[in-house]
Amino acid sequence: MSARYAIILAAGKGTRMKSKLYKVLHPVCGQPMVEHILQRVTETNPSEVVAIVGHGADKVKEQLGERCQYALQEVQLGTGHAVLQAAEFLEGKTGTTLVISGDTPLLTSETLNNLFDYHLGKNASATILTAQAQDPTGYGRIIRDRVGIVDKIVEQKDATPEEARVTEINTGTYCFDNALLFDALANLKTDNAQGEYYLTDIIEILKSQGHSVAAYQTADFNESLGVNDRVALAQANQLMRERIQLKHMLNGVTLVDPATTYIDAAVEIGSDTVIEGNVSIKGATTIGEDCFITNGSQIVDSVIADRVVVKASVIEESRIHSNVDIGPYAHLRPNAEICTGAHIGNYVEIKNAKIGENTKVGHLTYIGDATLGRDINVGCGVVFVNYDGKSKYQTIIGDHSFIGSNANLVAPLTIAANTLIAAGSTITKDIPEFAMGIARAKQTNKEEFAKKLPYFQ
Ligand code: UD1
Ligand code: CA
């Protein structure tokens, strides 16, 4: 196989997005568009990938990290000028170069591999990835001669009315003979409606030099959707969402109402898990097998094992082991870890805390900055008082303790195993094993006193 290289165009500002965020960083199903592109490009196994960066260069680099090389395009003079910036890495090398835009997030690596194969099979100097559009507005048009051979690409703004009627569009993705590409780039001019160095003009240049040019048409226009504004961004999200859902359903996940289910691209879900409608599963989340996620749940960047039930709850950056049930209306905030068999009931908030195996936290409780052992029962309305307005403090509770309802546990605290905390206590001191901590006012009954109230008269 001849060497493969790839150039990702990601230097544009994205004026039509009307956004403070640079275009290629706008997320589609939880990942910046340029991240999707780099992943798909990487799946085609190129030996070098160069991202052209300019607007928001630091942010794009932060996203893509060391997975590719970077060439800076200081001023954005057009897509041809952008590709030229990769010369410092690729000029003169032998092989095939894929050029792809950072704003076409739906292209699949299967299509890109097909494009490479077609290009090499045709022995062409350049192969354009094209698609048939129902509405070609905004895209470059593929102009073919009478026998169907590609003549050139004409941008919408430069097209004659006749050319504008062509529905075969340029997806902005190409394979080039690398050496010929960089030779030809030197000949680009800016004599067009936008005064830019168009990469698309390279087709005519290569042809005028006597090289053959091919076009490979994808069957699915949707794959080549280019995101230039928020309308296309919403379409891209919708299309990607359907693709993600299809993958999970074919893997054995039940989606009760796909129309109201939002699953990000990086999410993994085990088979026989059932997800009801109005559920969002975002970021780097993994869900195991045989789980049940009900209406109104939102799960972000979390790892959930097998046979977990989540009822209408919010879970962020947390880890849930198997056979746990959560909710309804629980909120697991970052760094909550819920061990096997534990029960987290309604209106419970947990943050930066580990809840041991089979421990039950049934109702209306806040647990922050704590480590709870196994088989503990936490009553209703217990508050872990972890914050004094300045610092946070830890609470540790040993196995098989019983925390009575409406207790306040003022951290820092170490409560041994097998302890009892009396309901309504405000605990400020450590408790040794098998002791009861009680800290509440003694009750006195005043005989006949109630009768003084008008209510009883
Ligand atoms: C481009 C193509 C058009 C094609 C469409 C497909 C050209 C001249 N036109 O148009 O034929 O149908 O894509 O989606 O190539 N960029 C840079 N530096 C620049 C200019 C652009 O890095 O100086 C990057 C942008 O960040 C973007 C990509 O190149 O990721 C494409 O640029 P964009 O302005 O979106 O081109 P289109 O007008 O969509
Ligand atoms: Ca575009």
Side-chain angles (χ1 to χ4, degrees):
M1 196 170 79
S2 80
R4 287 181 172 189
Y5 312 107
I7 300 173
I8 301 174
L9 306 185
K13 181 165 184 282
T15 312
R16 291 164 279 182
M17 296 296 282
K18 305 210 168 115
S19 176
K20 289 178 274 307
L21 186 65
Y22 304 106
K23 177 165 75 174
V24 298
L25 293 173
H26 274 265
V28 169
C29 290
Q31 279 175 193
M33 291 196 274
V34 72
E35 172 68 35
H36 286 285
I37 298 291
L38 179 63
Q39 287 182 7
R40 299 298 82 75
V41 164
T42 305
E43 285 162 8
T44 68
N45 294 317
S47 56
E48 286 184 58
V49 179
V50 182
I52 312 300
V53 293
H55 281 285
D58 290 347
K59 295 250 159 57
V60 175
K61 285 184 183 174
E62 201 179 303
Q63 173 65 39
L64 303 182
E66 289 176 2
R67 291 174 291 165
C68 61
Q69 310 175 90
Y70 299 96
L72 183 67
Q73 186 193 23
E74 280 179 42
V75 270
Q76 283 63 52
L77 302 178
T79 47
H81 180 256
V83 172
L84 191 59
Q85 310 310 307
E88 56 174 304
F89 297 103
L90 299 179
E91 192 167 22
K93 289 189 178 168
T94 305
T96 306
T97 300
L98 173 77
V99 174
I100 187 166
S101 292
D103 65 354
T104 49
L106 291 151
L107 282 168
T108 62
S109 48
E110 194 187 353
T111 296
L112 300 181
N113 277 322
N114 288 344
L115 175 66
F116 269 114
D117 292 346
Y118 188 89
H119 172 76
L120 292 174
K122 287 279 170 191
N123 209 7
S125 64
T127 302
I128 312 159
L129 182 68
T130 75
Q132 275 297 340
Q134 254 180 350
D135 174 9
T137 309
Y139 292 93
R141 310 295 205 281
I142 305 297
I143 309 301
R144 294 177 182 260
D145 67 14
R146 259 182 253 130
V147 289
I149 293 171
V150 176
D151 251 347
K152 58 179 175 178
I153 304 171
V154 177
E155 290 304 293
Q156 162 107 19
K157 289 183 179 156
D158 301 289
T160 63
E162 192 193 342
E163 287 168 338
R165 278 195 291 277
V166 171
T167 52
E168 186 182 12
I169 59 102
N170 169 28
T171 65
T173 312
Y174 323 76
C175 272
F176 292 102
D177 175 288
N178 185 68
L180 293 179
L181 168 65
F182 285 96
D183 285 347
L185 281 173
N187 300 309
L188 283 183
K189 297 199 174 61
T190 56
D191 51 351
N192 53 54
Q194 302 186 81
E196 289 184 356
Y197 293 99
Y198 287 168
L199 178 60
T200 44
D201 288 348
I202 212 104
I203 301 302
E204 276 177 285
I205 293 170
L206 287 168
K207 291 203 69 157
S208 71
Q209 292 172 341
H211 302 295
S212 74
V213 169
Y216 171 69
Q217 199 180 96
T218 58
D220 181 8
F221 167 77
N222 286 339
E223 250 197 55
S224 52
L225 183 76
V227 175
N228 294 324
D229 57 27
R230 310 273 183 155
V231 178
L233 183 66
Q235 285 166 344
N237 267 296
Q238 175 65 19
L239 291 164
M240 179 80 76
R241 189 151 78 90
E242 285 167 10
R243 190 189 283 177
I244 291 166
Q245 292 181 341
L246 193 68
K247 175 187 81 179
H248 290 300
M249 291 189 281
L250 293 175
N251 280 344
V253 177
T254 295
L255 300 182
V256 176
D257 183 16
T260 62
T261 306
Y262 303 84
I263 303 173
D264 276 353
V267 171
E268 291 171 25
I269 308 175
S271 65
D272 287 319
T273 283
V274 176
I275 297 172
E276 292 191 336
N278 265 314
V279 168
S280 293
I281 306 175
K282 298 185 176 180
T285 292
T286 304
I287 297 179
E289 297 184 5
D290 302 303
C291 292
F292 183 46
I293 316 290
T294 82
N295 292 108
S297 295
Q298 222 190 89
I299 303 171
V300 186
D301 292 329
S302 294
V303 177
I304 296 182
D306 299 336
R307 296 175 300 282
V308 171
V309 175
V310 178
K311 294 181 205 147
S313 292
V314 175
I315 300 177
E316 304 162 278
E317 294 172 44
S318 290
R319 181 152 187 207
I320 312 222
H321 297 260
S322 57
N323 299 307
V324 164
D325 82 289
I326 292 178
Y329 318 118
H331 185 187
L332 269 50
R333 291 170 49 206
N335 204 24
E337 180 176 358
I338 315 296
C339 295
T340 302
H343 162 70
I344 308 299
N346 44 197
Y347 306 105
V348 171
E349 175 180 343
I350 299 178
K351 180 219 82 171
N352 191 32
K354 181 171 177 177
I355 309 297
E357 285 180 28
N358 297 318
T359 285
K360 314 262 181 281
V361 187
H363 342 259
L364 299 155
T365 285
Y366 170 65
I367 299 180
D369 301 303
T371 305
L372 277 68
R374 54 182 301 158
D375 298 309
I376 294 170
N377 190 83
V378 178
C380 177
V382 174
V383 176
F384 283 55
V385 183
N386 60 325
Y387 183 51
D388 63 3
K390 207 168 172 201
S391 304
K392 307 266 168 73
Y393 302 93
Q394 290 285 325
T395 297
I396 297 167
I397 304 183
D399 298 344
H400 198 251
S401 289
F402 187 97
I403 317 298
S405 293
N406 197 31
N408 300 309
L409 309 182
V410 183
L413 273 182
T414 301
I415 314 278
N418 297 302
T419 54
L420 168 64
I421 291 178
S425 295
T426 292
I427 300 294
T428 54
K429 292 186 200 132
D430 293 355
I431 305 175
E433 188 162 11
F434 290 113
M436 175 177 76
I438 178 162
R440 64 189 187 208
K442 278 225 164 83
Q443 181 175 340
T444 46
N445 292 340
K446 300 194 175 174
E447 300 292 334
E448 303 292 311
F449 189 90
K451 289 183 179 165
K452 292 189 181 174
L453 276 181
Y455 180 79
F456 294 100
Q457 284 157 14

